[in-house]
Amino acid sequence: MATLSNSKRLLVELTLQEKISLLSGADGWQTQEIPRLGIGSLKVRSIPSTERLSHGPAGARGALSTDGPAAAFLPAPVALAATWSNNDLYAIGKLLCREAKTKAAQVLLAPTICCARNPLGGRNFESYSEDPHLSGTLAIEYIRGVQESGEVAATVKHFVANEQEYQRFTINAEIGERALHEIYLRPFEMAVKSENPPKCVMTAYNCVNGSHMDMCNKLIRETLRGDWGFQGLVMSDWGGTNSTVQSVLAGCDLEMPGPAEKRGKFLLKEMVENPTEELSAAIDASCLRVLDLLQHSKLLGLSPEEAQKTRSRPETSSDVKEHQSLLRRVAANSIVLLRNSSNLLPLTPSRLQGKRIAFIGPNALHGTPGGGGSATMNPQYQTQPLAAFKSIISELGIDVEVNHSPGSFIHKWLPLLDSDQWSLASEDSSGETKNILKLDFFATGDFSGEVVETQYRNSSLLDLFDSAPSFYYEDHNLHSLRVRSQVTPRTTGKHSFGICSVGNARLFVDGKLLIDNYDWKQVGETFYSFGSVEASASMEMVAGKKYQVLVEASTREIPFGSTTSDDPIHVFGVQPSVRLGFIEQLPENPITDAVELANRSDITILIIGLNDEWESEGYDRQSMKLPGTQDELVTQLLGSAEHPENIVIINQSGSPVEMDWADDANTIVQAWYGGQEAGNALCDILLGRISPEGRLPITWPRSYSDLPFEKNPETWPGVDGNVVYKEGIFVGYRWYLKNQVAPRWWFGYGLGYTTFEFSDLKIVRLDDRWDISTLVTNTGDHDGREVVQCYSWPLESDAQELRAFGKTSTLTPGQSETISLSINLRDLAHWDIGSQKWALEKGFYNLGIAKCASDKNILQSKVEV
Ligand code: BGC
């Protein structure tokens, strides 16, 4: 009560202008302070404090989009979901809360609980699952972990139906009422109605059934706040506020980021020229919700000086030991063993002793810790598959010979600069600095005048969205920058440089113009599809020689009409962001080299997959095929190796890829993106230190053409601005079951190094629920954990749906454990279009315990409603 009255008291004291100032961000990551009333806040580009929002999906991100202080890099959300572990999600939530605090953040922009509707979705890796029950349940645990200490607020996003990146700012998702409520809204509903609801909800960029989500009265006011009773704050996605008045009326409280593009002076003008009671009341209601969150974050009641100072709370990075082991364990728990038909795994010490091991594949030397886009992070450290393997093997004292051959390259753009090879230009005489790039900014569009700001960076993905000089944000003023570095090639050869830029850019090497991307015409996928396609050029370079590299970049608006994105003057679209890449000449026959190495080795560990360039925000994948020559690499290895049964294939991706060669492979592992502990976690599984316990949170198709999308572009990615969710509630495994299409692997599937049996199914009906229990026995000869999945389906139909799940503790061979689950009667209800309510159909249902969505050995029982 004290909280509310405090906010209400402040509301009375605020002028209209001050109220409006609270309804949009002050900069990329903060809200507006009002020192005279002791309301804390931040100014553009200063170090954090107040309503500091921190990035969510893969870790609590720092101030800058691509550099900034290091943060713990978590396994991707889809990997978290593959653990099927409430405990893991809760522990990760707690870790994130501590991480957010080191970044002085009070709000975490996570979890993402949209649905993996199509395997090509660019941000599938950032979401949990194709199943609303799994997503909702895991989200509840994660949110509980984040919010438990009361210091950090979680944000569920993107509300709702942000299942694709194509035309993401404008696409209209046409979704039938049943699918909307049962599939897409359901995880949000579960989280919001839980005992510990998220404090914030972020609206999606897209439209749903004709209305942009930030101004969707029906879903924000009626459903979220009205039907579900959500009391917290609703914010727009970044640049996703689409109107001045309507979004306020719909109850979207906060426009992000700032400075305001739709509110601020425009909203003030509305209130002065066309004041209405409705708008005034909506402004007050939104202000109150912002104030409540500030109160919760202990940012009210400050002295004016304190309020001002909240701008300069420093960010830190805390690399805590206990976080490392948690991240390693969770990343290992997420790994799914898909096939082990010759029992090659685990590679126990006795199997390895004295052997020659080949590490092959684009992700062997440098594994991929996470997907791209706003989930990009500056990790505290990164463990890589090959290096981790060598280090664990030597710790264990196992004598093996390990060799590496890339076999294939999958970069979409030339790789970002590597700090071992790049350093600041020689004018920096200290010699000690670890930064690789120096950025000199000018307040003019043509490099004239004084240098107004200098920045040093380590990443050559120079995303200036939130870190251009402050004068830029005042009125999107023209500016330019010179970026300097120097490179010392390791080899002599024809090496290549590449540039993608949002503004104009050109690159000089030793004073000579090598790439001119000043007047680019064709938009590409970098910078959320606001940047140009890559312009590249090669030159002869000599090993060990230093070359001076200079990039000149300046502001310009991206050409109207020639872009896959929708709004040319958008928050992401006008600064001179640049991506600089470099690669030394590649070997001529990488596949032949790899096959030769495999043939000289006893065991081959082949690590293939996607990376953060293929799975990212701002664009979807165009194909489910593995990029580059990876399919050929796998086929040749399987076809020409003397002992193909000695090849372990590990795939890293956040969504399914086609594996036409899968039937010829004996050992396949799905490793997702495991964050900074990915390398160690993978080795823990390969070496049998942990038995795989991950289960697929998505169904894995054999081929994209098996799905209904390819032949129906109106269902993906949409036609004329509309995408029709024609499959209704039959998403993921529901669709395969209904259409009797066999995927490669089912939702819920995964093997271990041991086997389990379920027995003794008991179902007890109480007033409003069934209590279900089953005995799980470890029938193999390795320790391990099993996931128990409970599905229901009406007797007359095949509409099977996951209703509950649980996980055993680690069981030793022969050991048993009873797993108890509950299903509420209400969970079997469907959305009744006529009454616009959940309705429970009377009759008989089957409840069954299974190991995956198609499990034929299901233990089942008939129940009556
Ligand atoms: C993404 C959001 C994210 C926001 C801030 C947007 O591009 O869609 O998920 O929270 O940026 O980084």
Coordinates of all heavy atoms in Angstrom, one line a residue, residues 29 55 61 109 123 157-158 168 202 205 237-238 374 572 617, ligand 1:
W29 N 18.8 2.9 -23.1 CA 18.6 2.0 -22.1 C 18.1 2.5 -20.8 O 18.0 1.8 -19.8 CB 20.0 1.2 -21.8 CG 20.6 0.7 -23.0 CD1 21.6 1.2 -23.7 CD2 20.1 -0.4 -23.8 NE1 21.9 0.5 -24.8 CE2 21.0 -0.5 -24.9 CE3 19.1 -1.4 -23.6 CZ2 20.9 -1.6 -25.8 CZ3 19.0 -2.4 -24.6 CH2 19.9 -2.5 -25.7
H55 N 20.0 -6.1 -21.1 CA 19.6 -7.1 -22.1 C 19.3 -8.5 -21.6 O 20.0 -8.9 -20.8 CB 20.5 -7.1 -23.3 CG 19.7 -7.2 -24.4 ND1 19.3 -8.4 -24.9 CD2 19.1 -6.3 -25.1 CE1 18.4 -8.2 -25.9 NE2 18.3 -6.9 -26.0
R61 N 23.1 -7.9 -20.5 CA 24.1 -7.1 -21.3 C 24.5 -5.8 -20.7 O 23.8 -5.2 -19.9 CB 23.5 -6.9 -22.7 CG 24.4 -7.4 -23.8 CD 23.7 -7.3 -25.1 NE 23.1 -6.0 -25.2 CZ 22.7 -5.5 -26.4 NH1 22.8 -6.3 -27.4 NH2 22.1 -4.4 -26.5
L109 N 15.4 -7.7 -19.8 CA 14.5 -7.8 -20.9 C 14.4 -9.3 -21.3 O 14.8 -9.6 -22.4 CB 15.0 -6.9 -22.1 CG 15.2 -5.4 -21.7 CD1 15.7 -4.7 -22.9 CD2 13.8 -4.8 -21.3
R123 N 14.8 -15.8 -34.7 CA 15.1 -15.7 -33.3 C 14.6 -16.9 -32.5 O 14.4 -16.8 -31.3 CB 14.4 -14.4 -32.7 CG 15.0 -13.2 -33.3 CD 14.4 -11.9 -32.8 NE 14.9 -11.5 -31.5 CZ 14.6 -10.4 -30.8 NH1 13.7 -9.6 -31.3 NH2 15.1 -10.1 -29.7
K157 N 8.4 -11.3 -23.2 CA 8.4 -10.6 -24.5 C 8.3 -11.7 -25.5 O 8.6 -12.9 -25.2 CB 9.5 -9.7 -24.7 CG 10.9 -10.4 -24.8 CD 12.1 -9.4 -24.9 CE 13.3 -10.2 -25.2 NZ 14.5 -9.3 -25.3
H158 N 7.9 -11.4 -26.8 CA 7.4 -10.2 -27.3 C 5.9 -10.5 -27.4 O 5.5 -11.4 -28.2 CB 8.0 -9.9 -28.6 CG 9.5 -9.9 -28.6 ND1 10.3 -10.9 -28.9 CD2 10.4 -8.9 -28.2 CE1 11.6 -10.7 -28.7 NE2 11.7 -9.4 -28.3
R168 N 9.4 -7.5 -39.8 CA 9.0 -7.7 -38.4 C 8.3 -6.4 -37.8 O 7.5 -6.5 -36.9 CB 10.1 -8.1 -37.5 CG 11.2 -7.0 -37.4 CD 12.2 -7.5 -36.3 NE 13.4 -6.6 -36.3 CZ 14.1 -6.5 -35.2 NH1 13.9 -7.3 -34.1 NH2 15.2 -5.7 -35.2
M202 N 6.9 -6.8 -22.6 CA 7.3 -6.0 -23.8 C 6.4 -6.4 -25.0 O 6.2 -7.6 -25.3 CB 8.7 -6.3 -24.2 CG 9.2 -5.4 -25.3 SD 10.8 -6.0 -26.0 CE 11.9 -5.5 -24.6
Y205 N 6.8 -6.1 -32.1 CA 6.8 -5.1 -33.2 C 5.6 -5.3 -34.1 O 5.1 -4.3 -34.7 CB 8.1 -5.4 -34.1 CG 9.4 -4.9 -33.5 CD1 10.5 -5.7 -33.4 CD2 9.5 -3.6 -33.0 CE1 11.7 -5.3 -33.0 CE2 10.8 -3.1 -32.6 CZ 11.8 -4.0 -32.5 OH 13.0 -3.5 -32.0
D237 N 8.6 -2.7 -27.7 CA 9.9 -3.1 -28.2 C 10.7 -1.9 -28.7 O 10.1 -0.8 -29.0 CB 9.8 -4.2 -29.2 CG 11.1 -5.0 -29.4 OD1 12.2 -4.5 -28.9 OD2 11.1 -6.1 -30.1
W238 N 12.0 -2.0 -28.9 CA 12.8 -0.9 -29.3 C 12.4 -0.3 -30.7 O 12.7 -1.0 -31.7 CB 14.3 -1.3 -29.3 CG 14.9 -1.1 -27.9 CD1 16.2 -0.5 -27.7 CD2 14.4 -1.3 -26.6 NE1 16.4 -0.4 -26.4 CE2 15.4 -0.9 -25.7 CE3 13.2 -1.9 -26.1 CZ2 15.2 -1.0 -24.3 CZ3 13.1 -2.0 -24.8 CH2 14.0 -1.5 -23.9
S374 N 20.3 -8.7 -30.9 CA 20.3 -8.0 -29.6 C 20.7 -9.0 -28.5 O 21.0 -8.6 -27.4 CB 19.0 -7.3 -29.2 OG 18.0 -8.2 -29.2
F572 N 17.2 2.2 -35.3 CA 18.4 1.4 -35.7 C 19.1 1.9 -36.9 O 20.2 1.5 -37.3 CB 18.1 -0.1 -35.9 CG 17.5 -0.7 -34.6 CD1 16.3 -1.3 -34.6 CD2 18.3 -0.8 -33.5 CE1 15.8 -1.9 -33.5 CE2 17.8 -1.4 -32.4 CZ 16.5 -1.9 -32.4
E617 N 18.8 -11.8 -35.0 CA 17.6 -10.9 -35.1 C 17.6 -10.1 -36.4 O 18.7 -9.7 -36.8 CB 17.7 -10.0 -33.9 CG 16.5 -9.1 -33.7 CD 16.7 -8.2 -32.5 OE1 17.4 -8.6 -31.6 OE2 16.1 -7.1 -32.5
Ligands
BGC1 C1 14.6 -6.6 -29.7 C2 14.2 -6.8 -28.2 C3 15.2 -6.2 -27.3 C4 15.4 -4.8 -27.7 C5 16.5 -4.1 -26.9 C6 14.9 -5.2 -30.0 O1 15.6 -5.2 -31.2 O2 13.5 -7.1 -30.5 O3 14.0 -8.2 -27.9 O4 14.9 -6.4 -26.0 O5 15.8 -4.7 -29.1 O6 17.7 -4.6 -27.2

